[in-house]
Amino acid sequence: MLAFARLRELFGFSSQSRALPNGATLATLWEQLVAERPDAAAMRPSTRFARNGVLAEETTALFDGDEIALMPPVGGG
Amino acid sequence: MLAFARLRELFGFSSQSRALPNGATLATLWEQLVAERPDAAAMRPSTRFARNGVLAEETTALFDGDEIALMPPVGGG
Amino acid sequence: MIAVVEAPIALDALVAAVRTDACGAVVTFLGVVRATSAGDERPVDGLTYEAYPAMALSEMQVIATEARSRFDADVAIVHRTGALALGEASVGIAAASAHRGVAFDACEYVIDQLKLRVPVWKKEHYVDGDATWRANTIAP
Amino acid sequence: MIAVVEAPIALDALVAAVRTDACGAVVTFLGVVRATSAGDERPVDGLTYEAYPAMALSEMQVIATEARSRFDADVAIVHRTGALALGEASVGIAAASAHRGVAFDACEYVIDQLKLRVPVWKKEHYVDGDATWRANTIAP
């Protein structure tokens, strides 16, 4: 799991591995993260997820070895 | 008097001085040139004149020391 | 040339990457660090850019392919990451085509799409010592 | 920087001439010699450009002033004269502004106006040995 920019600073990691229950989705993962850092809850509307380099909805199921990215609104250019 | 590009090749000069009668205009000058090179007549519709670096109509009166330019359609860029 | 780099962006290399003998026009865009940001009056003394490199590269490649198919123009895109000082270029784009209109259109398309879609983030560092992550505004 | 030059055009120098700390965007245009010309299928192996330098400079200056007042962008314009080979740049333009939209608009305005108004002429030299003075087509 990768976190970028403001989310990286908020969660305190740029890369982290994590075990999830069977049937976990991106929503499951986000709930875990918010349980640890309640002030992250307000970031949910602006956060986008990617699974293996492709944008993904929070209903997306996760599998062993997936690379998940937590991304705030982009600011490139 | 300066001639550029195809007009330079046609008239055979890039720069030339010439005496004109009192009251001469750009039209007078062009008539002199065409008298010398009749095949230039067909170039008249596409030719533009400048007097001292500024575009000028053929009715423009000429004075001693004027720099006249004979210019085909531009092709810069 | 599609790249995310740490080193300064070389404009001539971008042009060389897209120009062919069929091209009559090469349009380039440089995004440079400026002294004030939209919507914030505090003077800026630098930016830090951060990317998700693998996804940034694939998204830039998709945008380049779109530009080629929409505009018949070849494009090169380089985004720089790390700490940038005032006046340094964060992104460089070159678009080459037979005719200038499509080269302009392709270059503008690429920077517009890059700002919307490519996973890169910037933090503005102000002269007063503060810093803020600044998202791109979405055009109306 | 407004110039008519014999030497190759240096894009970095054009950018440096217009960029200031208030600029977030620099757009450049290079017109380059290409292998075929519009409306003629014969392969080109080079162009010769000729200018009326004094008037070309003053007209380029007028266009730069128009670009500044219409678009709030600073522009640099350099036209090269003499014999140019395939791939060499005949004209280079840089436009710098706080925001990218106006930099694109200013750069495109300058090249469009330059092609209409600046007293420069080009002769196309074909691989078959023939050569023709080629005027710019007037946009409809």
Side-chain angles (χ1 to χ4, degrees), chain C residues 4-139:
Chain C
V4 174
V5 300
E6 292 270 336
I9 293 171
L11 195 51
D12 286 336
L14 280 167
V15 171
V18 292
R19 198 205 61 77
T20 67
D21 287 348
C23 294
V26 183
V27 173
T28 74
F29 172 81
L30 286 177
V32 295
V33 179
R34 67 193 179 97
T36 54
S37 146
D40 198 320
E41 289 178 358
R42 289 177 291 175
V44 168
D45 75 354
L47 301 180
T48 308
Y49 282 89
E50 175 176 335
Y52 179 7
M55 190 172 169
L57 287 170
S58 70
E59 199 65 36
M60 286 155 67
Q61 187 61 62
V62 168
I63 293 169
T65 302
E66 290 171 0
R68 183 166 15 249
S69 80
R70 289 180 184 224
F71 302 106
D72 196 21
D74 281 322
V75 303
I77 314 174
V78 175
H79 205 300
R80 188 174 171 192
T81 56
L84 274 71
L86 214 59
E88 290 195 289
S90 53
V91 61
I93 297 164
S97 193
H99 302 291
R100 68 188 187 281
V102 287
F104 276 105
D105 290 346
C107 193
E108 196 160 11
Y109 177 81
V110 169
I111 182 59
D112 288 351
Q113 294 297 315
L114 182 147
K115 283 181 168 268
L116 286 176
R117 295 159 55 180
V118 175
V120 173
W121 298 273
K122 74 166 162 280
K123 191 170 198 171
E124 290 181 355
H125 300 273
Y126 305 101
V127 171
D128 66 13
D130 201 4
T132 305
W133 291 99
R134 175 81 56 186
N136 292 329
T137 49
I138 310 287

Side-chain angles (χ1 to χ4, degrees), chain D residues 20-133:
Chain D
T20 68
D21 287 348
C23 293
V26 183
V27 173
T28 73
F29 173 82
L30 287 177
V32 295
V33 179
R34 66 192 179 99
T36 54
S37 145
D40 197 321
E41 289 178 358
R42 289 175 292 176
V44 168
D45 74 354
L47 301 180
T48 309
Y49 281 88
E50 175 176 335
Y52 178 8
M55 190 172 168
L57 287 170
S58 69
E59 198 65 35
M60 286 155 68
Q61 187 61 62
V62 168
I63 292 168
T65 302
E66 289 171 1
R68 187 170 6 253
S69 80
R70 289 179 183 224
F71 302 105
D72 195 21
D74 281 322
V75 303
I77 314 173
V78 175
H79 206 300
R80 188 174 170 193
T81 56
L84 274 71
L86 214 59
E88 291 195 287
S90 54
V91 62
I93 297 164
S97 192
H99 302 291
R100 68 189 187 279
V102 286
F104 276 106
D105 290 346
C107 193
E108 197 161 11
Y109 177 81
V110 168
I111 183 59
D112 287 350
Q113 293 298 314
L114 182 149
K115 284 180 166 271
L116 286 176
R117 295 160 54 181
V118 174
V120 174
W121 298 271
K122 75 165 161 283
K123 192 171 197 172
E124 290 181 356
H125 300 272
Y126 305 102
V127 171
D128 67 12
D130 201 6
T132 305
W133 291 99

Side-chain angles (χ1 to χ4, degrees), chain A residues 3 13 19 36-37 41 54 62 67 72:
Chain A
F13 64 85
E36 296 160 20
R37 294 287 318 200
V54 177
L62 301 183
E67 178 177 279

Side-chain angles (χ1 to χ4, degrees), chain B residues 1-76:
Chain B
M1 174 171 49
L2 308 172
F4 293 99
R6 199 208 299 235
L7 291 170
R8 172 177 56 72
E9 292 178 347
L10 181 70
F11 291 126
F13 64 84
S14 59
S15 176
Q16 187 186 76
S17 292
R18 175 173 292 238
L20 291 171
N22 276 342
T25 64
L26 283 167
T28 318
L29 175 61
W30 182 258
E31 282 158 24
Q32 278 194 6
L33 289 162
V34 170
E36 295 160 20
R37 296 286 318 199
D39 50 343
M43 308 278 285
R44 178 64 196 88
S46 66
T47 297
R48 296 204 298 173
F49 303 101
R51 176 175 163 268
N52 299 327
V54 177
L55 288 177
E57 299 300 314
E58 68 173 11
T59 53
T60 302
L62 302 182
F63 297 92
D64 258 13
D66 279 352
E67 178 177 279
I68 304 306
L70 309 173
M71 304 188 293
V74 299

Side-chain angles (χ1 to χ4, degrees), chain A:
Chain A
M1 175 171 47
L2 308 172
F4 293 99
R6 199 207 300 232
L7 292 169
R8 172 177 56 73
E9 292 178 347
L10 181 69
F11 291 125
F13 64 85
S14 58
S15 176
Q16 188 186 77
S17 292
R18 173 171 296 236
L20 292 171
N22 275 343
T25 64
L26 282 167
T28 318
L29 175 61
W30 183 257
E31 283 158 23
Q32 278 197 6
L33 289 163
V34 170
E36 296 160 20
R37 294 287 318 200
D39 50 344
M43 308 279 283
R44 177 64 194 89
S46 65
T47 297
R48 296 204 298 172
F49 303 100
R51 178 175 162 268
N52 299 327
V54 177
L55 287 177
E57 299 299 315
E58 67 173 13
T59 54
T60 302
L62 301 183
F63 297 92
D64 258 14
D66 279 353
E67 178 177 279
I68 304 306
L70 309 172
M71 303 188 293
V74 300

